[in-house]
Amino acid sequence: MSYSDRWSSYTTSDFQSVNFKPPRQTAGPEFYDRSELSRKVGLVGVAVAALFGFLCIIAGFMIFISKNTLSAACTEATGFVHGIALRSALASQQRLRFNTNLRLLSASDGWFNPNGTACNVLMAILLIVSYSSNLLVTLSVDLDSSSVPNAGHAMCVAEVPLFVLGVAIELQAIIALASVRSADILTWSSSAFDITAALVHHAQIIPQPGRCMYGICDAASRGPVSPSPRQPSAWRAHSSVRKVVLTLWALVVIYIVWGVIVVSLSDRSMSDAVKSWSFFPASQTHVVAYSIPIEGGVYWYWGLYYINMAAIQGPLTVALHCSELVANVVRDERLWRKATTKVGTTISSHPLAPVFGSPLNATLLAVKPVVHWMLGLAFSLAGTAENGLLTAIAVSMWPFQILNYAGALLVFALTFTIVALLPQSGPQPAAYGHVQTLANLIDEWSPTMWWGQKSNGLPYRHAGTSDYRLPKVDMNALYA
C-alpha cells in the first residue's frame, strides 16, 4: 500500500478522540506560591538595614531629614523577615493558628532560639531603642558659654544616640537573618492562601471533611448546618484583636491623664491654661521642663535619657506594632470574601499589594510617622554645651501638645475599634486568616478562586471553591 493510500484509509472518526484543549489549572494544594519575590524583597530589605546600621556605627553621620524615614524602613524590613520566619517556626511545631501573629509576643519553642522568647524580648527592646534614638540623634543645642557669649543655637548631631541607633538596627538585622536560617520557610508570601496551601501540601495541617459551612467560631460544632446570613467580627473571632484594641484604649487614657497632670503642674487653672493652646509649641505655651546633666561628658548618663524616652515612646511603639495584627487579620478576611464576587480572589499577589491595596494597612503605614512626630511635639529635647561639649539635656513636656497627641491616638483607637467590631455579611464562613478553617473551606486550589455551591447531593449539599464562578448557596438547605 502506498503512503497516499494508507493516509486515505483513515476516516474522520479516527481523529475525533483527539483533544487539544489545555488542562484546567485546578491542582491540589501543591499549587501554592512560594513567593520568591517576597523572599527577595525581604532579604534585600534586611541587607539594607544591616548596611544602614553599619554606616551609622562607622560613619556616625546621617542626614536629618531622612533619618526617621530610613530607620523606619529598616525596622519594617527586619520586622517583615522576622515575622515570616516566626510563622514558619510555629508551623513546623504545629502551633500556627493564624496567618498573622503578634510577632514580639509570640515565640517558638526554645528560650534562646532566634524565634524564641529571649530574642523576641530583645527585638522589642531594640525596636523601642531605635525610635528613641531618632529623637536623641539631633538636638537643638544652646552654644552660649562663658568663653563664647551670644553664640546662639545650633542643630547638632549627638554621636552616642547615633551609634546606639546603628547598633540597634544592626542587631535587629542579625536576629532576623538568624531566624531565617533556623526556620524551614515554606513560603515568603504574606498571603493566608499561600501559607495554608503550603501547610496542606506538606501535610502539616489536614483538611477536615464535612465542615464546608463552618467558620472560625464554629470549632465545637458538628454535623450538617444551614448557612448563616451574618458572620462574626474580628473582635469575636481573634482573641489577640481584643487585646490590641483594649491596649490602644488604655494608652489613650494614660496619655490623657499624663496631659492633665502636666497642665496642672504648669498652670493651676485649667481655664487659664486653655488660653495658651496651640498645635505647635510657642513662646506663650505652658511647659514643664527638667534637666539631666552630663557631668564631664560621661556616656553612661545617656542611659537616663533612654529610660525617659523608653517610658514615653515604648508603649506607643509596641502598640503600633500590635495594631498591624488587626490590619492584617481584616485584610486576610477581605481577600477571602472576594471569592464570592464577580472577579474572585487571587491566591498570590505582589508583596506590596497587601500593604497598599488594603485601606487599613495603608492608613497604619501613614499614621506611624505622624503619631511619632506628634509625640515629638509633646516631648521635646534641647541641649546645652560648654566649650564644644554637651553638658546637659533639658526635657520639655508641652501639656496641650500631649493632649493633641492623645486626641490623635483616640481617633486611631476609635477607627480600629469600629473595624474590629464590624461583622461580615453573607453566608460565606469567616476565616480571618485561620489556616485550619481555610483548609476546610477551600477544596479546590487555583490561581483565581470563587466560592459557592458545588453539589446538590442528597441529603446534604456541599459548598467549596472552584476556578470558575459558582452559584450562590441555598440559605434553607443543609450543608456538610
Side-chain angles (χ1 to χ4, degrees):
M1 180 182 297
S2 66
Y3 178 85
S4 58
D5 294 334
R6 185 166 34 190
W7 174 261
S8 62
S9 64
Y10 291 97
T11 63
T12 304
S13 59
D14 295 323
F15 298 91
Q16 289 178 346
S17 60
V18 179
N19 184 9
F20 293 98
K21 293 183 179 179
R24 292 171 57 195
Q25 295 184 355
T26 55
E30 68 273 14
F31 195 85
Y32 73 91
D33 179 20
R34 285 184 57 86
S35 192
E36 290 298 322
L37 181 56
S38 294
R39 173 180 177 272
K40 293 177 181 178
V41 171
L43 290 179
V44 168
V46 172
V48 172
L51 179 61
F52 177 68
F54 179 77
L55 292 177
C56 286
I57 297 173
I58 301 301
F61 177 78
M62 187 166 43
I63 301 175
F64 170 71
I65 297 177
S66 63
K67 68 182 181 71
N68 290 319
T69 304
L70 287 176
S71 60
C74 291
T75 54
E76 290 291 329
T78 55
F80 168 76
V81 173
H82 186 248
I84 292 292
L86 175 62
R87 185 184 67 176
S88 300
L90 294 175
S92 64
Q93 297 170 3
Q94 306 295 319
R95 294 174 52 205
L96 182 67
R97 297 181 61 242
F98 289 90
N99 175 49
T100 303
N101 305 275
L102 290 173
R103 176 173 62 89
L104 300 180
L105 303 179
S106 302
S108 60
D109 294 337
W111 182 265
F112 295 103
N113 188 299
N115 294 298
T117 303
C119 285
N120 280 6
V121 172
L122 181 58
M123 285 289 281
I125 295 174
L126 293 173
L127 186 63
I128 295 173
V129 169
S130 298
Y131 281 100
S132 298
S133 297
N134 277 332
L135 293 179
L136 292 169
V137 165
T138 53
L139 294 172
S140 175
V141 179
D142 183 3
L143 300 177
D144 290 347
S145 64
S146 57
S147 59
V148 186
N150 301 320
H153 290 74
M155 187 64 67
C156 300
V157 177
E159 74 280 11
V160 174
L162 186 60
F163 180 83
V164 172
L165 174 62
V167 171
I169 294 179
E170 197 74 26
L171 289 177
Q172 289 179 72
I174 292 173
I175 294 175
L177 292 176
S179 64
V180 169
R181 186 176 179 84
S182 65
D184 181 17
I185 299 180
L186 301 178
T187 174
W188 283 82
S189 172
S190 58
S191 167
F193 299 131
D194 281 323
I195 186 59
T196 302
L199 294 175
V200 171
H201 177 66
H202 291 274
Q204 294 187 14
I205 57 173
I206 307 299
Q208 300 172 355
R211 302 190 62 82
C212 67
M213 203 56 70
Y214 285 115
I216 182 176
C217 294
D218 304 319
S221 302
R222 297 290 185 272
V225 65
S226 298
S228 174
R230 293 174 70 84
Q231 305 302 320
S233 64
W235 173 277
R236 179 185 170 193
H238 203 314
S239 61
S240 294
V241 170
R242 298 192 291 272
K243 296 175 183 177
V244 170
V245 172
L246 292 176
T247 300
L248 289 176
W249 283 106
L251 283 180
V252 171
V253 174
I254 290 173
Y255 284 120
I256 290 177
V257 171
W258 177 35
V260 171
I261 291 175
V262 176
V263 168
S264 301
L265 292 176
S266 63
D267 195 317
R268 299 292 181 181
S269 174
M270 180 66 71
S271 59
D272 292 339
V274 171
K275 297 177 182 178
S276 68
W277 179 89
S278 65
F279 186 82
F280 295 98
S283 58
Q284 74 275 13
T285 305
H286 289 249
V287 62
V288 173
Y290 61 94
S291 179
I292 301 177
I294 304 179
E295 298 180 1
V298 179
Y299 287 152
W300 68 266
Y301 277 90
W302 282 101
L304 297 177
Y305 293 103
Y306 272 99
I307 292 174
N308 275 263
M309 297 308 301
I312 301 300
Q313 193 152 13
L316 170 66
T317 302
V318 175
L320 290 177
H321 159 73
C322 294
S323 299
E324 295 176 4
L325 178 135
V326 180
N328 292 340
V329 165
V330 173
R331 175 204 66 195
D332 290 342
E333 181 62 17
R334 184 180 65 88
L335 292 176
W336 163 238
R337 305 201 78 77
K338 286 181 64 178
T340 57
T341 63
K342 293 182 179 180
V343 297
T345 186
T346 303
I347 288 185
S348 303
S349 60
H350 191 277
L352 299 180
V355 177
F356 295 102
S358 169
L360 201 59
N361 285 89
T363 300
L364 180 60
L365 191 65
V367 162
K368 281 184 178 182
V370 172
V371 293
H372 280 291
W373 170 70
M374 292 189 68
L375 182 59
L377 295 179
F379 188 82
S380 62
L381 305 170
T384 56
E386 182 74 26
N387 298 325
L389 293 177
L390 192 64
T391 57
I393 295 180
V395 180
S396 301
M397 295 183 292
W398 307 86
F400 283 101
Q401 280 65 43
I402 296 174
L403 294 177
N404 291 342
Y405 165 72
L409 195 59
L410 172 65
V411 175
F412 179 77
L414 183 62
T415 301
F416 272 66
T417 302
I418 293 174
V419 171
L421 290 175
L422 283 177
Q424 304 293 336
S425 60
Q428 184 183 7
Y432 290 102
H434 189 262
V435 291
Q436 183 63 64
T437 300
L438 286 174
N440 297 339
L441 298 176
I442 301 175
D443 59 351
E444 186 176 326
W445 296 87
S446 56
T448 303
M449 297 186 301
W450 285 264
W451 181 90
Q453 181 166 297
K454 297 191 72 174
S455 66
N456 296 322
L458 296 176
Y460 310 121
R461 301 185 181 187
H462 176 71
T465 55
S466 180
D467 64 338
Y468 56 90
R469 194 174 185 188
L470 296 169
K472 296 181 179 180
V473 297
D474 188 346
M475 301 298 294
N476 299 316
L478 291 176
Y479 287 80

